[in-house]
Amino acid sequence: MEKSRRREKLAVSLLFGLLLPCCLAQTTPSNTATRTPTRTPTPSPSPQTERLRVRLSGYPRKHNEGRVELFYKGEWGTICDDDFAIANANVLCRQLGFVEATGWTHSAKYGKGQGKIWLDNVQCNGGERSIDSCKSRGWGNSDCTHDEDAGVVCKDERIPGFVESNVIESQVDEKQIEEVRLRPVVTTARKKLPITEGVVEVKYKDGWAQICDLRWTIKNTHVVCGMLGFPHERKVNKNFYKHLKKRAAEKVSRPKVNVSAGGRQTPKAKANSKTKQSSPGKRLYLERQKNHFHVHSVACAGTEIHLAACPLEFSKPNATSSCEGGMPAVVSCMPGPLFIKNNGLKKKPKISNNVRLKGGAKLGEGRVEVLKGNEWGTVCDDRWSLQSASVVCRELGFGSAKEALTGARMGQGIGPIYMNEVKCVGQERSIWNCPFKNITSEDCQHVEDAAVRCNVPYMGVEHSIRLAGGRTRYEGRLEVLSLDSNGTLSWGLICGETWNTREAMVACRQLGLGYANQGVQ
């Protein structure tokens, strides 16, 4: 009995010894296989990190249709319509996050693009994951012009999990002009917000540069004012700026210096010279001496949403004079009623009473609603464009539209849908003056309500309140900046008697901190 037990133990030991190396042999290569790619990376590109960027552009269009543009080698370009077919459109629509294409367009139906024509004679089977996997003549190899730019119409149904913004925004060359501002030339104007008049400056490299005013038109001014949140423009008194420049130049060419008996400049003379340098005319002249003209001329049509969308001629780096006979362009804008402070205007501008924005979290954004009879209704997003959105923004006292939103991005309205396929040029005084189609019950649903985000002037409101005494920057006692009886700015408190979460929500949004959890008295 004892011997039989020993034999069983020996058999188990032998069996375990045979199985253990086998198991080790099965697990070890598995670990090695997972480490192999990290030691020897494959050269094939990852579709997640190197996915080709595709966008829809052009006018007029909806968010699910437009001219096809591809981003390749740091530049946006188009596709030629030669050999284009529905299979190509299906591949492109899936790349854009739509389930499939319902059609495609040729001969630049959505307008002619700019820059390179990246692909020509594209032939897809329809199952490719990206348009660059299809057969073509190769990148940048084309015999087409932009009159042959291809477009697609995608089915308005999203691929599950694909994030879509449903936003139509101004697509301009970001390398040309990033940001625009007005620089006041009078010191007192710098302290007043919003800034409505000044020298037009564009962001250039690490600083700001000016635009030559030669051939500057009121249409250019209209575009600049719209970008800065102003609905209208005013005529500039150019003689005022020319007179300041001329007077300052004369003072510099004939400086008056008091000289002592020893022939040295007296301290009083030095003080006087400093005083003269701080005069408005002198300051203006000294600033203009440092002008750097980045843009030589601008030729806007007046309906553009961004200055970079206008035809621009840039100053040549080696030119002896980049603005000969001219001076920096100066613009004066008329703010909307919500942003006018006691400026002595006899005739106050009015805003529309039959158009409104609803459902937006911030001033100047929301679902577009129009009044017909005694009932408010919405606008369908078919053919909704930045030009139509800008007409709405301007008639409500804001600037041009920053974004035109489709697909009920600002919530679904209730009641009737009054307008469909609104086609504003951009110069109309009201959306009611634009061509549009009346709605039938089959045309649109409230899931297609159009909305806008308008450009609003910078008011510095985020700097007029602050939180103090809190444990983090997200909480604390609310303090407001205001003028006292002596005209001095000072911080004060708000009585908490009727303070609740609703008021706290407004304060948090003004501070850029999102939503409020609680308003504490």
Side-chain angles (χ1 to χ4, degrees), residues 186-461:
V186 181
T187 306
T188 54
R190 298 173 189 242
K191 299 178 181 178
K192 296 179 181 178
L193 292 175
I195 296 172
T196 58
E197 182 172 314
V199 173
V200 184
E201 294 190 329
V202 297
K203 197 72 182 290
Y204 182 61
K205 294 182 178 178
D206 295 328
W208 295 86
Q210 291 75 45
I211 300 175
C212 183
D213 72 341
L214 296 175
R215 297 183 294 278
W216 185 267
T217 67
I218 196 71
K219 294 178 180 178
N220 300 341
T221 300
H222 189 69
V223 173
V224 170
C225 288
M227 287 179 63
L228 297 173
F230 304 114
H232 308 293
E233 63 283 347
R234 289 184 286 201
K235 190 176 180 180
V236 176
N237 184 3
K238 292 191 71 172
N239 291 330
F240 167 75
Y241 291 93
K242 288 179 180 178
H243 177 67
L244 280 179
K245 180 181 178 182
K246 182 180 178 182
R247 189 176 66 181
E250 290 173 352
K251 288 182 179 180
V252 169
S253 60
R254 296 192 302 272
K256 294 180 181 180
V257 179
N258 293 332
V259 180
S260 65
R264 291 181 298 177
Q265 187 178 5
T266 64
K268 184 177 180 180
K270 291 180 181 178
N272 288 339
S273 66
K274 289 181 180 179
T275 304
K276 288 178 180 177
Q277 285 190 358
S278 63
S279 66
K282 186 74 170 182
R283 276 198 310 277
L284 179 64
Y285 176 79
L286 290 176
E287 287 180 353
R288 289 190 186 283
Q289 288 296 90
K290 296 180 282 187
N291 281 331
H292 171 64
F293 293 97
H294 178 50
V295 183
H296 182 67
S297 67
V298 182
C300 297
T303 58
E304 293 87 352
I305 309 304
H306 196 286
L307 195 64
C310 303
L312 302 172
E313 182 183 339
F314 291 92
S315 302
K316 297 178 181 178
N318 299 326
T320 54
S321 176
S322 55
C323 190
E324 188 174 357
M327 54 188 279
V330 180
V331 159
S332 182
C333 304
M334 171 72 77
L338 294 173
F339 308 99
I340 289 180
K341 296 183 178 179
N342 303 319
N343 55 3
L345 287 176
K346 294 181 180 179
K347 190 176 180 181
K348 303 286 184 182
K350 296 181 180 180
I351 60 174
S352 175
N353 57 6
N354 58 6
V355 180
R356 69 183 183 184
L357 300 181
K358 298 291 286 186
K362 297 179 181 178
L363 187 66
E365 69 176 31
R367 179 179 60 255
V368 179
E369 295 190 352
V370 292
L371 182 65
K372 187 176 181 181
N374 294 318
E375 188 175 8
W376 288 95
T378 62
V379 176
C380 185
D381 63 8
D382 287 351
R383 305 294 179 187
W384 188 240
S385 68
L386 282 167
Q387 282 71 23
S388 299
S390 290
V391 170
V392 171
C393 289
R394 288 184 188 270
E395 71 174 307
L396 291 174
F398 306 109
S400 51
K402 183 163 49 177
E403 295 172 345
L405 298 98
T406 61
R409 279 294 306 280
M410 293 290 180
Q412 297 182 32
I414 57 175
I417 303 173
Y418 286 129
M419 295 180 172
N420 186 22
E421 296 195 21
V422 180
K423 297 179 182 178
C424 299
V425 175
Q427 297 174 332
E428 296 87 351
R429 288 184 173 271
S430 171
I431 189 175
W432 287 106
N433 301 132
C434 303
F436 65 90
K437 290 183 179 179
N438 292 319
I439 295 292
T440 64
S441 57
E442 295 81 17
D443 282 336
C444 285
Q445 304 296 324
H446 280 298
V447 292
E448 301 172 80
D449 283 342
V452 297
R453 282 198 180 101
C454 306
N455 286 313
V456 297
Y458 176 72
M459 300 296 293
V461 292

Side-chain angles (χ1 to χ4, degrees), residues 24 147 174 218 231 310 347 408 422 459 494 513 517:
L24 290 173
D147 291 312
E174 296 88 352
I218 196 71
C310 303
K347 190 176 180 181
V422 180
M459 300 296 293
I494 296 177
L513 299 177
N517 292 325

Side-chain angles (χ1 to χ4, degrees), residues 83 130 146 272 375 407:
D83 293 333
S130 176
H146 282 296
N272 288 339
E375 188 175 8

